[in-house]
Amino acid sequence: MLNFTVGPVMSSEAIRAIGAEQVPYFRTAEFSAVMKENEHLMLKFAKAPADSRVVFITGSGTASMEATVMNVFTPEDKVLVVNGGSFGHRFVQLCEIHDIPHTEIKLDMGRKLTAQHLAPYEGQGFTGFLVNLDETSTGVLYDIQLISDFCRRNDIFLVVDSISSFLADPFDMAALGVDVMITGSQKALACPPGISIIVLAPQSVERVCANKVKSMYFNLEDALKNGERGQTPFTPAVGTLRQINARLKEIEAAGGVESENRRMAALAADFRSKIGDMPFDIVSESLSNAVTPLHPHNVSAYDIFLRLKDEYHIWVCPNGGDMADKVFRVGHLGALTTADNDTLISALRDMQSKGLL
């Protein structure tokens, strides 16, 4: 199986080997040291401001999206939400569930966010901004500098879901004034799913501690207190956290976050250069290094997903709902190489030669 989805992604042999080991007991000094190292490297790779903190949630990225909305916003806030696809819509749903007053900036499929979209909201008293930096359902990478400048001008608290773009695209939390960054274990970290990660700037920690959230599992103040000793309030996905530790150290040894950015940018550029003459349109106006969204000219996108999976043992990423037949996505995350790109291209060309594209 060759995996070009956007999560879970291909893991290296070393990371997979850790997953085969017995899972150790975790209320120990040894595991606390692992967790403190995880926090240190996550802060370094996110380029978080001094005195920032990290919370590791045992749950998917949506768990950390919900925990963030619950812990940093209240019904007294007024939040802008960029909704350009299924994950932007998820932030809208979370605001609805938790009674957070919000306004959607609704974008059509594949469209980038522009200054014109933001202009009507200047000086309108908004206190929060929620954005999925890479709207993974459509492959659009939003202009984070544009968003950062807007939030700074308007004194708005900025929450960035960087679940699929973390390590794939350049990102500097401190320089951009980002208050919260969210990511997950199964994207560019190339570990199994099950852990999502919240990086909190100091002002976010203050908000969390001032907001008495009605939740046991998603109480980030409790998580922060436990994190001071390298622990979590409840039993975490211990094996996955050990794999994250190895993966973070692997990235550090290979040159750090900039090197990882370059590696994925090269993989994405290589793939895109090789499909120029094929019957696909790239649907995004602003591409992330994480994924290439493709609209086939002549056949169902979902049929391509099924055929690649069943006949060629290659997985790409399908879409659901209205986009199921319109767009499939090719990921560039994890332990992939340009030779793997060639394998996928060969399969697509074989399908084309048989009149299946």
Side-chain angles (χ1 to χ4, degrees):
M1 187 264 292
L2 186 56
N3 187 353
F4 284 91
T5 70
V6 289
V9 302
M10 299 284 282
S11 296
S12 69
E13 186 175 338
I15 299 302
R16 297 197 309 274
I18 295 169
E21 296 175 1
Q22 284 284 0
V23 176
Y25 183 61
F26 65 102
R27 299 296 191 200
T28 63
E30 290 81 4
F31 187 70
S32 290
V34 167
M35 292 297 287
K36 295 297 281 186
E37 188 171 38
N38 284 351
E39 180 172 38
H40 167 73
L41 289 172
M42 279 299 307
L43 292 171
K44 181 177 182 178
F45 294 163
K47 301 184 179 179
D51 300 320
S52 294
R53 294 290 308 283
V54 179
V55 171
F56 297 88
I57 299 284
T58 296
S60 71
T62 302
S64 281
M65 291 168 70
E66 181 159 27
T68 298
V69 169
M70 291 170 64
N71 281 265
V72 304
F73 295 124
T74 76
E76 303 303 312
D77 279 293
K78 183 181 176 183
V79 178
L80 271 174
V81 186
V82 179
N83 181 2
S86 59
F87 294 100
H89 179 62
R90 194 163 298 178
F91 265 141
V92 172
Q93 291 174 297
L94 289 169
C95 287
E96 290 170 348
I97 290 167
H98 297 287
D99 298 319
I100 307 301
H102 62 282
T103 298
E104 293 180 62
I105 302 176
K106 192 80 167 65
L107 303 175
D108 292 334
M109 183 182 73
R111 300 303 182 192
K112 63 184 179 181
L113 183 74
T114 68
Q116 287 70 36
H117 291 117
L118 295 175
Y121 307 105
E122 294 276 0
Q124 296 302 304
F126 285 93
T127 61
F129 196 106
L130 287 166
V131 64
N132 317 87
L133 184 53
D134 172 18
E135 173 51 72
T136 319
S137 66
T138 61
V140 175
L141 182 71
Y142 296 124
D143 185 342
I144 187 60
Q145 189 63 60
L146 174 76
I147 293 168
S148 169
D149 293 344
F150 171 81
C151 289
R152 280 179 160 146
R153 282 196 307 274
N154 291 277
D155 193 25
I156 293 175
F157 187 90
L158 175 56
V159 174
V160 174
D161 156 12
S162 189
I163 291 173
S164 63
S165 62
F166 177 65
L167 297 174
D169 302 299
F171 184 82
D172 188 323
M173 190 172 171
L176 292 164
V178 172
D179 296 293
V180 179
M181 188 203 81
I182 304 167
T183 193
S185 57
Q186 79 277 23
K187 304 293 186 177
L189 281 171
C191 293
I195 293 289
S196 52
I197 303 164
I198 307 171
V199 183
L200 298 152
Q203 59 270 31
S204 305
V205 174
E206 292 175 9
R207 261 193 196 226
V208 165
C209 294
N211 182 14
K212 302 306 176 185
V213 56
K214 292 183 178 181
S215 174
M216 179 180 286
Y217 197 78
F218 287 146
N219 186 324
L220 294 188
E221 183 179 13
D222 193 17
L224 288 166
K225 286 178 181 176
N226 278 268
E228 290 173 3
R229 61 190 180 96
Q231 288 290 328
T232 56
F234 311 104
T235 305
V238 175
T240 304
L241 286 162
R242 292 179 67 236
Q243 290 171 299
I244 288 172
N245 182 255
R247 176 71 176 124
L248 290 169
K249 289 192 285 190
E250 180 181 275
I251 293 166
E252 176 83 329
V257 63
E258 288 83 8
S259 177
E260 194 69 0
N261 288 165
R262 289 192 297 270
R263 186 181 71 82
M264 276 181 269
L267 278 172
D270 176 76
F271 175 77
R272 291 164 189 165
S273 71
K274 291 172 178 173
I275 60 165
D277 63 340
M278 301 192 76
F280 302 124
D281 293 323
I282 295 176
V283 299
S284 170
E285 289 185 335
S286 177
L287 287 166
S288 165
N289 294 325
V291 60
T292 302
L294 296 172
H295 169 61
H297 294 176
N298 307 312
V299 298
S300 160
Y302 197 77
D303 286 348
I304 292 174
F305 157 71
L306 289 176
R307 197 173 293 276
L308 284 170
K309 175 176 69 73
D310 296 338
E311 298 180 20
Y312 298 89
H313 308 293
I314 298 172
W315 290 11
V316 294
C317 210
N319 265 311
D322 293 342
M323 290 196 293
D325 289 321
K326 297 176 183 176
V327 177
F328 71 95
R329 295 160 292 157
V330 175
H332 311 296
L333 304 173
L336 290 168
T337 66
T338 55
D340 294 327
N341 282 349
D342 291 338
T343 300
L344 173 56
I345 297 292
S346 293
L348 292 170
R349 291 202 182 280
D350 186 58
M351 289 170 60
Q352 190 176 19
S353 72
K354 296 174 180 175
L356 301 173
L357 280 185

